[in-house]
């Protein structure tokens, strides 16, 4: 496709433009047909139409200055308070809306870092203790704000052990973070025990309920067994919950909550001496699109408790059917615990390469979310997937049979790359390679490069040498195994 590099000399006719743009989506993931298992939270056309109208009503407004648009301040406060109620926050609970889970987590880290600076000014190298499954937005926050993460391992059930977290805490720890649930395999961390640990150490605990904030409460009401995960746990000092996930708001909406203003005051940024006036900003963004706030407000009002409960039940039903179906497929196993609507599966048969399975599913039009350590496939279940669960399972059965019959597939297509990338022990090297791919994607003229070829994603030193690298990695693995058994 020809990539445009200049603004057209004269403006074009609106309808013609819209038609052209609609065509851009031809190769996109099919979320309406339920073929995505992440990324889109779709509550049907009628709900989407409401979101668009609500978004439109405040389309041009700006949440930067709450005095100019009291409408937005009011809706934001109500979204915050309704979310606080959902997560059992005490009456002192305060918070703000952000553009998404990542901004909420960036802000939470910044807030707790700044609070630590006043409270424990001698800490020079602050760290956050968390499970290895914590969302990478924490790594991003740590990278941006000069904090390090100390990560405790989790087992295949996705659970972190409190003793492992405890061992990592030292005098530089400013925050403990955990998830409800973690995205990788859907396990809710043992928040009550972690809360106790946090209290005993006098360190705040942030619960990342970006994924679960708007569904775990309903699953709990529907009788799903899970640890208590919210402000009912005394050590929980802040929480994040994404309205643009199971809150079925428009994208660009997350809620960050604090137990009280004592913490949140460290979130605000004020520049008192700017020539343009005193500049105060509650979140990371400057200009804040009002439509995201009004659509989130509308979503919560339109859904109501009964609507959310119903959507949660349907998503849970999809997850259960998926889990049962996958468990019945020889060669696959489910990871994590069934606390949420996440279904993650891996292979337990050396002849079934899960990345080759992913390639096969992808060819059948399923947007497939590949994970590593262990290599696995992630599905976030939603009501929208209900009509296609059986089709997915039948495709998956076929995929497994096909991959088992053709073991060479593991070394072809994307499977080869994902397999290698997951195995390479030098993660810095992998990071650099991916950064290089991004640099290429964002270079001028990148639109003309056919990235679907994915050849660029292969590190240059691997291209053409895949078999040798595999052999070397196998050798390393076998030496490791022998070392462990003491036969070297
Ligand atoms: C989605 C998610 C995030 C990040 O949210 P974005 O909206 O993608 O920025 C953080 N934590 C968890 C557990 C998530 O599922």
């Amino acid at each position: 496709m020809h990539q445009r590099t200049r603004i057209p000399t004269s403006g074009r006719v609106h309808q013609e433009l819209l038609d052209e743009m609609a065509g851009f989506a031809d190769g996109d993931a099919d979320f309406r047909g339920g073929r995505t298992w992440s990324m889109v939270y779709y509550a049907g056309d009628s709900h989407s139409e409401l979101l668009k109208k609500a978004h439109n009503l405040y389309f041009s407004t700006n949440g930067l200055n709450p005095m100019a648009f009291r409408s937005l301040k009011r809706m934001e406060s109500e979204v915050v308070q309704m979310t606080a109620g959902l997560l059992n926050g005490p009456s002192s609970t305060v918070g703000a809306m952000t553009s998404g889970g990542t901004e909420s987590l960036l802000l939470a880290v910044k807030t707790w870092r700044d609070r630590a600076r006043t409270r424990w000014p001698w800490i020079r190298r602050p760290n956050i203790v968390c499970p290895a499954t914590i969302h990478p937005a924490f790594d991003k926050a740590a990278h941006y704000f000069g904090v390090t993460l100390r990560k405790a391992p989790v087992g295949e059930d996705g659970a972190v052990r409190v003793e492992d977290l405890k061992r990592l805490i030292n005098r530089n720890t400013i925050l403990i973070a955990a998830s409800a649930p973690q995205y990788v395999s859907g396990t809710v961390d043992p928040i009550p025990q972690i809360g106790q640990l946090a209290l005993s150490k006098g360190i705040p605990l942030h619960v990342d309920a970006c994924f679960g904030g708007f569904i775990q409460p309903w699953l709990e009401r529907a009788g799903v067994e899970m640890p208590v995960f919210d402000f009912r746990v005394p050590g929980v000092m802040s929480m994040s919950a994404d309205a643009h996930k199971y809150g079925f708001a428009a994208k660009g909406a997350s809620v960050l909550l604090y137990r009280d203003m004592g913490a949140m005051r460290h979130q605000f940024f004020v520049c008192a001496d700017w020539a343009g006036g005193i500049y105060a900003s509650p979140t990371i963004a400057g200009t804040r699109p009002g439509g995201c706030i009004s659509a989130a407000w509308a979503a919560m009002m339109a859904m109501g408790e009964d609507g959310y409960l119903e959507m949660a039940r349907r998503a849970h039903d999809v997850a259960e059917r998926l889990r049962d179906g996958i468990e019945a497929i020889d060669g696959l196993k489910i990871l994590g615990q069934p606390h949420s609507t996440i279904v993650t599966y891996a292979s337990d048969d050396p002849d079934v390469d899960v990345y080759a399975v992913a390639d096969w599913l992808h060819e059948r039009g399923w947007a497939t979310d590949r994970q590593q350590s262990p290599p696995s496939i992630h599905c976030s279940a939603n009501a929208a997937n209900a009509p296609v669960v059986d089709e997915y399972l039948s495709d998956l059965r076929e995929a497994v049979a096909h991959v088992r019959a053709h073991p060479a597939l593991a070394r072809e297509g994307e499977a080869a790359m994902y397999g290698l990338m997951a195995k390479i022990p030098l993660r810095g090297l992998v990071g650099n390679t991916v950064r290089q791919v991004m640099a290429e994607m964002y270079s001028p003229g990148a639109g003309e490069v056919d990235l679907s070829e994915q050849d660029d994603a292969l590190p240059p030193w691997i291209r053409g040498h895949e078999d040798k690298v595999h052999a070397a990695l196998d050798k390393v693995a076998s030496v490791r195994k022998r070392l462990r058994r003491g036969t070297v």
Side-chain angles (χ1 to χ4, degrees), residues 41 99-105 133-138 140 178-184 208-212 240 242 244-245 252-254 342 378 380:
Y41 295 75
S99 60
T102 300
E103 189 184 346
S104 288
L105 295 174
T133 45
I134 204 80
H135 192 276
F138 272 96
K140 201 180 204 177
S179 321
Q182 41 96 332
Y183 184 82
V184 183
D208 176 10
C210 280
F211 185 91
S240 45
D242 289 353
H244 67 198
K245 289 180 182 158
S254 172
I342 289 172
H378 170 112
S380 295

Side-chain angles (χ1 to χ4, degrees), residues 302-322:
M303 278 284 167
E305 294 194 338
D306 48 2
Y308 279 130
L309 191 57
E310 175 59 21
M311 291 302 280
R313 282 216 175 97
R314 279 153 65 183
H316 184 247
D317 181 57
V318 169
E320 296 271 272
R321 283 166 61 204
L322 210 52

Side-chain angles (χ1 to χ4, degrees), residues 140-161:
K140 201 180 204 177
H143 178 69
Y144 283 6
F145 300 130
V147 179
T148 50
L149 297 188
R150 291 167 70 91
K151 295 185 185 178
V154 302
E156 259 193 21
D157 65 351
V160 70
R161 288 174 29 223

